[in-house]
Amino acid sequence: MNRAFSLSSELRTRIQQCQAHVVTVGLGYVGLPLALTVHEAGFPVTGLDVNAERVGRINQGEKVISYFPEDRIATAVGTGRFAATADPAILTEADIVLICVPTPLSGKREPDLTYVIRAAETISRWVRPGQLVVLESTVWPGCTTNIVKPILEKTGLVAGTDFFLGFSPEREDPGNDKFSTRSIPKIVGADDSESRDLLEAFYSKIVTKAVPVESSATAEAVKLVENSFRTVNIALVNEMKVALDAMGIDIWPVIRAAATKPFGFMPFYPGPGIGGDCIPVSPVYLSWRARDVGSETPIIDLARGNNETAPDRIAFRVAADLNQRAGKAVQGAQILVMGIAYKKNVEDTRESPALGVLRRLEAMGARCDYHDPYFPEMPMTRDHPDLAGRVSVTLTPETVAAYDAVVVTTDHTDVDYALVGAFAQMIFDTRNVFDGNGIAVPAGCLVKI
Ligand SMILES: NC(=O)c1ccc[n+]([C@@H]2O[C@H](COP(=O)([O-])OP(=O)(O)OC[C@H]3O[C@@H](n4cnc5c(N)ncnc54)[C@H](O)[C@@H]3O)[C@@H](O)[C@H]2O)c1
């Protein structure tokens, strides 16, 4: 029996019996739901995170992520088979290591793999024969093989023989109540058959379906293709919104009607731009790697540019309409920005277009406040450190009426839009919350942009 086969058979048995100890590296929006889902499938799980404060809160059973069921973490911790730690020595006990660390953009808006490299270096100190290491962070095609593998192999152990290595892209959609980590099929890719089979065996126990592909690079490409598809379609629908608006046509009923076509059309909806850790970031990884290998992605790049300037376009439109419809200059106007999260029902402002709108309006001389039930206080962010500490305005008839305009940038569910509709002087709705929810607004007060 060869070494790889005997080591993988041992791990396969532990997977089949749900005895393999799983360590997730990174307990953020992706790593924590994944760690809990693996635990809920019956495996003992330890979450490793460098953020000791977050580790402490998780071990106390705190909810940590707003859209989680109230007691999900507490229940997991209570079983004694789920815990968090900041001590990397836990990796010695791991049979399976899942890497879920950030892959942001650098200051030059290029792929920044610092976190992945650091995590791989940490794992390399503890990697041992028979372990399965899986990268889940979004990366460019070739990263697992060209970046992570050499770091782990510096130990003298060989991937596919002594330990097993692959890539499985995360498809988490924070706040989506239709699909959970468990119900979303998972792509699994590896460069050797032992690793691929182990990935498939493991993830088949965790999620509804594991879909094997031929290599780590193929699996990495799947994620970038999915997200670039979204990027291009969001740019397209925003472009169509502006064009139809010029023809006097509201795009929302158009999309609703088009979506009745049972094939060949998938609805995307207009908004103030794109945000989060995925959609704005993945296409950059794809186009950077394309250039790196002498190719190019002009359509994706055009869509990226269109999405990046979307918040500015919204702000300019607000300024123009304030002037034209209300006879007010944006200079000195008091504007309430509703929602600073990058999308509805999440407490996440990474790459949020709402902050771009707010910032552009202020650059034009407006005085902006915000309302967001997920952020009583504006968090410290890499892109907007100077906005930190501002406080969410409480919605009352008086506060709402005091603003020259309200701009809806995020369509959180738990917001009193009826109150806003009744008392706002002027509303700019980028998300169709008023018409979409049948909320009455006095004639002439609502502008869908
Ligand atoms: N958030 C999403 O919606 C989403 C969806 C799909 C894929 N992804 C991808 O998943 C990856 C993780 O994203 P996220 O949203 O969970 O990020 P996050 O910032 O929410 O969480 C990352 C966590 O990793 C921890 N960390 C960083 N370096 C570490 C290290 N060396 N060791 C241990 N812990 C470390 C951080 O402290 C943080 O808690 C990224 O590549 C992202 O692109 C994110």
Side-chain angles (χ1 to χ4, degrees), residues 25-31 48-51 54 100-103 115 118-119 122 136-139 170-174 223 227 277-278 281-282 342 348 350:
V25 181
L27 288 171
Y29 287 101
V30 161
L48 171 65
D49 202 294
V50 288
N51 182 340
R54 189 169 177 87
C100 309
V101 297
T103 46
Y115 295 96
R118 275 200 209 124
T122 303
E136 295 232 358
S137 303
T138 306
V139 292
E170 197 40 70
R171 285 168 153 174
E172 189 72 17
D173 185 15
K223 174 74 184 174
N227 281 358
D277 199 35
C278 258
V281 175
S282 299
Y342 80 88
D348 189 350
R350 284 177 293 182

Side-chain angles (χ1 to χ4, degrees), residues 290-405:
R291 280 197 309 279
D292 194 36
V293 296
S295 185
E296 51 184 16
T297 53
I299 293 175
I300 293 170
D301 296 342
L302 187 63
R304 273 174 52 203
N306 186 303
N307 289 327
E308 276 168 18
T309 51
D312 279 358
R313 284 199 305 277
I314 294 291
F316 288 131
R317 177 77 199 273
V318 169
D321 277 44
L322 257 180
N323 185 13
Q324 199 181 19
R325 294 174 187 244
K328 283 181 186 155
V330 69
Q331 172 85 40
Q334 307 238 35
I335 298 179
L336 180 65
V337 173
M338 289 194 49
I340 57 165
Y342 80 88
K343 70 170 186 174
K344 72 177 188 182
N345 303 341
V346 298
E347 76 285 40
D348 189 350
T349 58
R350 284 177 293 182
E351 305 277 331
S352 175
L355 292 177
V357 173
L358 183 149
R359 188 174 275 309
R360 173 55 67 185
L361 285 169
E362 290 195 337
M364 289 191 281
R367 292 205 300 276
C368 294
D369 292 321
Y370 81 95
H371 170 78
D372 192 316
Y374 288 83
F375 291 98
E377 193 178 308
M378 193 89 92
M380 172 60 74
T381 66
R382 216 163 66 140
D383 309 334
H384 306 279
D386 52 316
L387 299 179
R390 294 193 188 189
V391 175
S392 174
V393 166
T394 306
L395 298 182
T396 66
E398 294 75 27
T399 55
V400 169
Y403 291 97
D404 295 306

Side-chain angles (χ1 to χ4, degrees), residues 142-340:
C143 181
T144 305
T145 308
N146 298 320
I147 304 283
V148 175
K149 185 173 149 197
I151 295 173
L152 298 180
E153 287 190 335
K154 269 193 199 150
T155 55
L157 299 179
V158 176
T161 303
D162 301 309
F163 69 96
F164 305 99
L165 178 66
F167 183 82
S168 180
E170 197 40 70
R171 285 168 153 174
E172 189 72 17
D173 185 15
N176 188 327
D177 50 16
K178 284 203 195 106
F179 298 101
S180 65
T181 312
R182 191 172 178 76
S183 65
I184 303 170
K186 204 126 169 47
I187 306 296
V188 295
D191 297 346
D192 64 277
S193 59
E194 298 295 352
S195 299
R196 198 177 314 116
D197 290 351
L198 282 172
L199 259 85
E200 189 179 1
F202 172 61
Y203 285 104
S204 300
K205 289 283 225 184
I206 310 300
V207 299
T208 178
K209 189 174 180 198
V211 183
V213 295
E214 64 190 21
S215 66
S216 295
T218 304
E220 289 160 337
V222 170
K223 174 74 184 174
L224 300 190
V225 166
E226 288 170 3
N227 281 358
S228 299
F229 173 84
R230 278 189 73 76
T231 297
V232 170
N233 278 289
I234 291 169
L236 179 65
V237 79
N238 277 332
E239 179 179 287
M240 291 193 292
K241 173 188 73 174
V242 175
L244 291 183
D245 197 36
M247 299 172 208
I249 300 167
D250 180 0
I251 192 165
W252 290 89
V254 174
I255 297 171
R256 240 189 341 266
T260 59
K261 185 176 179 183
F263 53 89
F265 183 84
M266 179 186 285
F268 285 82
Y269 300 98
I274 54 174
D277 199 35
C278 258
I279 309 297
V281 175
S282 299
V284 181
Y285 275 66
L286 184 59
S287 102
W288 180 89
R289 183 61 171 160
R291 280 197 309 279
D292 194 36
V293 296
S295 185
E296 51 184 16
T297 53
I299 293 175
I300 293 170
D301 296 342
L302 187 63
R304 273 174 52 203
N306 186 303
N307 289 327
E308 276 168 18
T309 51
D312 279 358
R313 284 199 305 277
I314 294 291
F316 288 131
R317 177 77 199 273
V318 169
D321 277 44
L322 257 180
N323 185 13
Q324 199 181 19
R325 294 174 187 244
K328 283 181 186 155
V330 69
Q331 172 85 40
Q334 307 238 35
I335 298 179
L336 180 65
V337 173
M338 289 194 49
I340 57 165

Side-chain angles (χ1 to χ4, degrees), residues 91 119-127 151-155:
L91 289 162
E121 284 169 350
T122 303
I123 294 163
S124 75
R125 294 211 295 276
W126 312 92
V127 69
I151 295 173
L152 298 180
E153 287 190 335
K154 269 193 199 150
T155 55

